[in-house]
Structure formats: C-alpha cells, structure tokens
Amino acid sequence: MIANRLEALGIVLPSASEPAAKYANYVIVNGLCFVSGKGPAGHPKGKLGQEFTTEEGYHFARQTGIEILAVLESALGSLDNVKRVVKIQGFVNADPLFEEHHKVLNGCSDLMLEVFGDKGSHARSVLGAVSVRDNLPIIIDSIFEVD
C-alpha cells in the first residue's frame, strides 16, 4: 500500500490545495488524471539563481510533488489507484543564466520514484520561465494513469 510507503518515508500529505484561479484542480479523462500546475507549500517567492540555490529548488520541487500527491489522493480516494506516473512537467522561475533546471525538477522525480517504485518512472520536461504566478520558484503539472 502506498500509505505504508508514505509513512515509511516520513511523508504526511497535507489537504489538497485549491486552484489559484478559475480552473479544475484535476481532470480525469480516459484513465488519465491531469493535475493542474502546483507550487511548493508555504508559497516561497523568488527565482532560482537569484534568491534560491539549486539545492533549495530541489526541495521546492519535492514539496510540490507532495502537493500533487495530496490532490491525487483527494481525487482518487487512495494513491493505490495510481497505475503509473506518466509525465511531469516543470516550469522553473529562473534567472536567465541559470542552467540547472533539470537538477531542480529531480526533487519531484525522485519523490515519485520513492513513492511509486517502478510505476513512478515517467517522461518529463523542464523549462525555464521568465516569470510564473505569484513569483513561485517552480510550478509543476503532471499526468497519471489511474484506475
């Protein structure tokens, strides 16, 4: 059970965060759950390569992954209903000279592998952004195959 794995990892899921504007937190279509863009808990503000280091960005991406898991649990009733992590896409709010976007997004990717094992292996892309909503350091959207 995924709940046991979360407990072993010391992860307590928060309540699912609400959308920041007029959109759905998630949409399920044809066995795929699309989770809208989420940011890290506490809403830190700033850019990677300016206010934040790569290591801090990794932590923010991991926190964001936990936010995503909370939305999934709310949507599905149990994370055991996740068949596979399909895609993770990160938007890193970064200084134009920042080059470690991939290392930042590893925070979320590593979490998905820890929680779901082989089912956590996924396709992904990461982009540098000139700005993102609320000046968050990262926004991540995701796609999951679900029962």
Side-chain angles (χ1 to χ4, degrees), residues 2 5 9 84-85 109-122:
I2 299 299
R5 189 166 298 165
L9 292 168
R84 177 170 187 113
V85 182
S109 293
D110 288 347
L111 175 71
M112 295 302 159
L113 290 165
E114 291 169 19
V115 170
F116 295 109
D118 290 342
K119 296 187 306 183
S121 181
H122 53 274

Side-chain angles (χ1 to χ4, degrees), residues 17-25 36-39 43 133-134 136 139:
S17 57
E18 294 297 319
K22 293 183 180 180
Y23 56 86
N25 232 0
S36 294
K38 293 292 170 188
H43 307 292
R133 73 170 166 82
D134 299 328
L136 294 170
I139 302 253

Side-chain angles (χ1 to χ4, degrees), residues 96-115:
L97 298 177
F98 186 75
E99 295 182 346
E100 297 188 323
H101 307 75
H102 59 295
K103 293 179 182 179
V104 169
L105 194 56
N106 281 346
C108 186
S109 293
D110 288 347
L111 175 71
M112 295 302 159
L113 290 165
E114 291 169 19
V115 170

Side-chain angles (χ1 to χ4, degrees), residues 43-94:
H43 307 292
K45 295 184 182 299
K47 291 186 178 288
L48 276 291
Q50 288 181 7
E51 290 82 8
F52 301 116
T53 66
T54 300
E55 293 75 24
E56 289 169 312
Y58 178 96
H59 178 69
F60 293 143
R62 186 176 179 86
Q63 283 182 329
T64 302
I66 290 170
E67 293 286 321
I68 291 167
L69 295 177
V71 170
L72 275 174
E73 185 176 67
S74 173
L76 305 173
S78 169
L79 292 176
D80 292 323
N81 292 322
V82 172
K83 293 171 75 172
R84 177 170 187 113
V85 182
V86 176
K87 174 107 187 228
I88 301 291
Q89 182 166 305
F91 300 89
V92 177
N93 187 10

